[in-house]
């Protein structure tokens, strides 16, 4: 394989029988053996091709501040009122945030010592970066969905700080040829505000979305995004075991996820059929639409590639210059809000007419859809609501499309 992704629950919580520190020593041994198993021509897969995220079982519940945790759960009951507060805590790394992150101290130390390529110096246990692979840039984002986890009350109450994490991911990995996101929890475990934001953002920003937690290996293909859920390497019930191996064929614009499971009492892994979807343990899917351009590139002859190489040099240079200019305009506009964190958060655009407030509610307009399918649009908002920032963002993103267009402002 080219990459290994682990979607959380590397440990099983602090216990008298086996401390988290010792569990992560065992994890290092497990992953090192796995990298050797994935060797090519006798050389182990490089450790910087392994990426992990924390799960709820990586939490040390013994150090959780119970009063602070009760407050987090209470805030999650009215998420739309408090989600900006939580995102600002995450951005500013406040005392409340630092206190919550103590539960993942051992996981953070494990990543720092064993996987330094994805260590987060700012201690959010968040990672997003473009990785070079076979001449392509792969955007990989590792999300932290465990930083407010504590126990049974997690269900529908988890705070992700989704706006900060998704926007940071987009900033670091936009324009990558393939975008992959991994997280532990599926969306339905988050509070309503984070759940809605994640559900709207994932299909737009990620070609592949990987998660764990449910212990149910499953593939959900879509036109713009493929979600792959993982089983568990260690589990209580036989049907919870599962590992996936996904292969992509860019020339055919097809992919296959190979499903494997095992019995708790046995050592070896076997294929795991899924009726209708993967009767032979192979779940096929069409590549997300955005990846079709890779197929087009793979069909270009070497002669055409050589001819294009020289003519594109000046174009590439110009694109980089324009992109930097547009990015700076957006950054400068954001800095005008001195009392707010300097991050871009996609706004909610509603087409409800001002003169018809009692009419049937209208669905929100996705900002990305305006960029992909531009039409004459008037966007109104009170002063200081970020219309200038929105204009700069639209211009920047329009230029960054596969077929760039320059929007004047």
């Amino acid at each position: 394989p080219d990459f290994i992704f682990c979607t959380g629950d590397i440990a099983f919580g602090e216990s008298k029988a086996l401390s988290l520190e010792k569990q992560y020593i065992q994890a290092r041994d497990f992953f090192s053996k796995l990298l050797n198993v994935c060797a090519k021509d006798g050389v182990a897969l490089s450790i910087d091709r392994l990426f992990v995220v924390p799960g709820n079982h990586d939490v040390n519940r013994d150090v959780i501040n119970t009063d602070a945790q009760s407050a987090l759960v209470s805030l999650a009951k009215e998420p739309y009122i408090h989600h900006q507060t939580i995102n600002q805590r995450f951005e500013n790394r406040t005392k409340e945030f630092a206190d919550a992150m103590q539960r993942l101290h051992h996981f953070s130390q494990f990543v720092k010592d064993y996987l330094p390529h994805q260590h987060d110096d700012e201690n959010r246990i968040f990672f997003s970066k473009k990785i070079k692979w076979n001449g392509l840039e792969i955007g990989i984002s590792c999300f932290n969905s465990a930083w407010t986890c504590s126990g049974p009350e997690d269900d529908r109450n988890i705070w992700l700080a989704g706006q900060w994490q998704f926007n940071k991911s987009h900033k670091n990995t936009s324009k990558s040829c393939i975008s992959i996101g991994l997280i532990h929890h599926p969306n339905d475990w988050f509070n309503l505000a984070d759940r809605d934001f994640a559900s709207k953002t994932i299909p737009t920003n990620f070609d592949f979305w990987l998660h764990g937690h449910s212990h149910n290996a499953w593939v959900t293909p879509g036109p713009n995004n493929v979600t792959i859920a993982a089983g568990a390497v260690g589990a209580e019930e036989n049907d919870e075991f599962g590992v996936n191996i996904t292969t992509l064929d860019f020339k055919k614009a097809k992919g296959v996820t190979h499903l494997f499971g095992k019995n708790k009492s046995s050592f070896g892994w076997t294929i795991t059929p899924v009726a209708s979807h993967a009767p032979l343990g192979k779940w096929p899917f069409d590549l997300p639409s955005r990846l079709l351009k890779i197929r087009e590139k793979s069909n270009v002859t070497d002669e055409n590639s050589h001819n294009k190489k020289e003519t594109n040099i000046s174009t590439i240079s110009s694109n980089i210059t324009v992109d930097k200019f547009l990015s700076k305009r957006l950054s400068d506009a954001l800095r005008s809000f001195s009392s707010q964190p300097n991050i871009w958060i996609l706004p909610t655009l509603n087409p409800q007419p001002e003169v018809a407030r009692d009419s049937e509610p209208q669905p929100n307009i996705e900002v990305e859809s305006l960029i992909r399918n531009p039409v004459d649009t008037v966007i109104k908002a009170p002063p200081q609501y970020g219309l200038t920032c929105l204009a700069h963002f639209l211009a920047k993103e329009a230029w960054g499309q596969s077929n760039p267009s320059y929007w004047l402002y």
Side-chain angles (χ1 to χ4, degrees):
D2 297 291
F3 297 95
I4 298 174
F5 301 108
C6 175
T7 51
D9 283 355
I10 294 171
F12 200 74
E14 182 74 15
S15 71
K16 293 181 179 179
L18 193 64
S19 67
L20 276 168
E21 186 176 359
K22 291 181 178 179
Q23 290 180 59
Y24 286 119
I25 292 174
Q26 293 182 346
R28 292 174 64 136
D29 182 60
F30 169 82
F31 283 121
S32 295
K33 289 178 179 178
L34 180 59
L35 293 169
N36 282 320
V37 168
C38 298
K40 182 178 181 180
D41 298 328
V43 179
L45 183 65
S46 175
I47 197 169
D48 63 5
R49 289 295 187 258
L50 167 63
F51 298 90
V52 303
V53 294
N56 53 297
H57 288 297
D58 292 301
V59 166
N60 183 355
R61 299 183 184 182
D62 292 347
V63 302
I64 294 176
N65 181 328
T66 55
D67 289 339
Q69 186 64 28
S70 296
L72 284 169
V73 173
S74 178
L75 293 177
K77 302 301 182 183
E78 296 180 304
Y80 286 106
I81 295 176
H82 303 293
H83 72 104
Q84 290 291 1
T85 298
I86 298 298
N87 277 278
Q88 287 178 4
R89 287 183 186 179
F90 203 87
E91 158 69 14
N92 298 330
R93 294 178 292 150
T94 62
K95 291 181 179 179
E96 295 90 345
F97 166 79
D99 179 70
M101 287 296 295
Q102 286 298 315
R103 71 194 70 194
L104 289 170
H105 168 74
H106 289 94
F107 178 89
S108 179
Q109 193 64 43
F110 162 71
V111 171
K112 181 180 181 180
D113 294 342
Y114 185 63
L115 303 170
H117 60 281
Q118 73 161 95
H119 172 61
D120 182 356
D121 290 331
E122 295 187 340
N123 198 36
R124 295 187 183 92
I125 313 183
F126 170 85
F127 171 89
S128 63
K129 188 177 180 180
K130 294 178 184 177
I131 309 295
K132 293 287 187 180
W133 171 81
N134 283 3
L136 301 175
E137 282 190 325
I138 312 298
I140 297 176
S141 297
C142 300
F143 287 74
N144 181 358
S145 65
W147 70 281
T148 65
C149 287
S150 64
E153 67 273 22
D154 290 346
D155 191 9
R156 309 298 193 276
N157 290 319
I158 293 175
W159 282 107
L160 177 64
Q163 288 185 341
W164 190 94
Q165 294 199 57
F166 278 109
N167 282 298
K168 186 69 171 179
S169 165
H170 184 70
K171 178 181 178 181
N172 291 349
T173 64
S174 63
K175 301 183 185 177
S176 54
C177 297
I178 305 172
S179 185
I180 302 171
L182 54 153
I183 196 169
H184 181 65
H185 294 87
N187 290 349
D188 56 5
W189 276 75
F190 304 137
N191 67 74
L192 188 58
D194 273 327
R195 192 187 323 160
D196 285 350
F197 192 86
S199 298
K200 293 175 182 177
T201 307
I202 290 168
T204 301
N205 289 9
F206 295 94
D207 304 304
F208 297 95
W209 185 252
L210 318 179
H211 73 78
H213 191 67
S214 57
H215 295 187
N216 180 29
W218 198 262
V219 180
T220 307
N224 301 317
N225 166 276
V226 177
T227 297
I228 303 175
V233 175
E236 295 295 326
E237 303 295 335
N238 289 335
D239 60 2
E240 293 181 305
F241 285 92
V243 294
N244 306 327
I245 299 177
T246 297
T247 59
L248 307 179
D249 186 330
F250 294 109
K251 289 187 176 181
K252 295 181 179 178
K254 300 288 184 181
V256 178
T257 295
H258 304 255
L259 309 176
F260 298 89
K262 68 186 291 290
N263 291 324
K264 186 177 181 180
S265 58
S266 66
F267 178 77
W269 292 77
T270 60
I271 63 171
T272 304
V274 176
S276 301
H277 302 290
L280 299 178
K282 300 178 181 180
W283 200 313
F285 55 85
D286 294 329
L287 291 188
S289 57
R290 200 176 69 91
L291 302 191
L292 296 181
K293 64 182 181 182
I294 298 178
R295 178 189 181 186
E296 294 169 0
K297 288 181 180 179
S298 68
N299 289 331
V300 175
T301 64
D302 292 338
E303 181 179 355
N304 287 338
S305 297
H306 176 75
N307 291 338
K308 289 181 179 180
K309 194 172 295 182
E310 294 184 2
T311 58
N312 281 345
I313 289 176
S314 60
T315 303
I316 292 171
S317 177
S318 298
N319 286 348
I320 293 173
T321 301
V322 174
D323 182 66
K324 286 184 177 179
F325 169 74
L326 296 175
S327 297
K328 184 178 184 302
R329 286 206 313 181
L330 174 59
S331 180
D332 290 344
L334 288 170
R335 275 196 287 269
S336 66
F337 295 92
S338 58
S339 63
Q340 299 296 324
N342 186 21
I343 59 173
W344 171 252
I345 296 174
L346 283 176
T348 298
L349 304 181
N350 192 285
Q352 192 80 4
E354 289 185 332
V355 296
R357 295 192 179 277
D358 296 331
S359 61
E360 287 295 319
Q362 300 293 318
N364 292 337
I365 297 174
E366 297 292 338
V367 174
E368 295 290 341
S369 69
L370 289 177
I371 299 169
R372 292 193 302 268
N373 303 296
V375 294
D376 290 341
T377 306
V378 176
I379 303 174
K380 299 178 64 177
Q384 301 299 306
Y385 266 57
L387 281 176
T388 298
C389 293
L390 175 59
H392 290 317
F393 175 81
L394 290 171
K396 175 181 176 296
E397 292 301 299
W399 183 255
Q401 300 297 298
S402 56
N403 294 314
S405 58
Y406 190 81
W407 292 20
L408 295 175
Y409 176 73

